[in-house]
Amino acid sequence: MQIVKGQLFADVCHHRALLVYLPPSYDKSTSRFPVMYVHDGGDLFDPAFSTALDVIEDKFAEGKIPELILVGIQPGNRRDDYTPWFSKAISPERNIDFGGQGDAYLSYVAKECKAYIDSKYRTDPRPEKTGIIGFSLGGLISMYAGHQYPDVFTKIGSISGSYWYEGMVSFMREKKMYHPGLRIYMDVGSKEGAKKQNIQKQMVPLTKEAHQILADSGFTADQLALFIDEGADHLSKYANARFPGALQWLWNEKEETEMELAKLIKERRSIHRFTDREVDPALVTELMDTAVWAPNYHMTQPWRFIVTYGEGKRRIAEAVRIMKEKREIDPAKKKEVGEKFYNKIMAIPMLMTVIMEESPNLITRQDDFASTSIVIHNFSLLAWEKGIGLTWETYPWIHEPEFREAMGIRPGEKVLGNLHIGYPAAIPGAQPRIPAAERITLVDKA
């Protein structure tokens, strides 16, 4: 029997059985540990089914993987829990449909199970220290988690993911999931699907296609991996053997690099189309708390911000409706124009109105404008690192009395713009820049 240096516990969260593994140094330190959520009850590391923990603990000792907490989650019915939408059975010998309860299952993992684990064990709850992984349909639902919860799970492990599942590859093609903070591991055995007569015979080519879609979406080689296990079939023994390597690729701190600032600056885009996913106001406040570390003469810190979301957006939307209706010359079009702009504002997940005190001193005012602009740019980079996009809008009506009154803009304050904030529905391509050398004049003589 495998001897485990760490600790294994049976636990329960909301009627689902959990298998929790705590690493060797858990009781010897006060550190917080990254967490990997593992589907199928943790069969990938459970000593009853796998010898993976022996390899993983060796990699801990060698410094190849940082010590992790592993949480195995028992499914109710994996054909329901691990499928993102309903689909008919694919084989007559197992004439059982797929229930498509993946959204409900992932909601449980991301909200209920994670909250329970974070409260009971000494975890590092940050997204960059949280991952999710599984085999077969478990690999499929892990990839879907990357689409649905990139602000919860940033390490995505898809071992022999079932990309043959009806509609999954099309979904990935249509719903681009690029998120700069994600790190994705995929693998497949070269013989998987070879003996099948149904869509599963396309296991290898569909996995490669899914990988290519991600690569085309913007993921680079240090963010995305695909390993082909030569000679391996779709069997748990092969998946268990690859599990330690998957963890090493996802978590190796020597291989994993933080988003470099230069790369972040070049990859950030202004976003004009958003998904309907809500942005957490607490996260925005946290990011802004870092963004305000901008240079400012005499540290006047002249900025303040009004964040509107949910029903709060009606304050801006109604003001814009009134302004547009007042200024529309054609009486027949007033209501139509007002409604159009009202709906446009309400469709934006979150708005941030950026306000600056206007100093009567011209030099101070110019410096304050530059400083507040830096705050906006800092925030845009920090948000992009979390997968949140924005555009800085300076449309004329932000200076109109109706808008200022609706938003409580005080005399002596200037509105620098409204930031439209949300998770990108589409990311535009890069626009070329003129090389800096063509705009730099070097002077080395008097």
Side-chain angles (χ1 to χ4, degrees), residues 295-297 300 302-303 354 356-359 361-376 392 394 399 414-417:
N296 178 230
Y297 185 62
T300 58
W303 46 73
V354 182
M356 181 193 84
E357 294 178 15
E358 280 204 289
S359 170
N361 182 286
L362 176 60
I363 302 300
T364 302
R365 191 160 69 245
Q366 289 177 330
D367 181 79
D368 286 345
F369 181 86
S371 296
T372 308
S373 297
I374 292 172
V375 172
I376 294 173
W392 179 2
T394 56
H399 307 293
K414 177 182 178 66
V415 179
L416 266 62

Side-chain angles (χ1 to χ4, degrees), residues 117-130:
I117 294 296
D118 288 342
S119 67
K120 184 171 181 179
Y121 300 97
R122 212 165 56 249
T123 70
D124 185 333
R126 294 176 295 168
E128 58 266 35
K129 298 299 182 181
T130 308

Side-chain angles (χ1 to χ4, degrees), residues 41-54:
D43 286 0
L44 286 168
F45 67 86
D46 186 344
F49 304 101
S50 168
T51 59
L53 273 182
D54 190 41

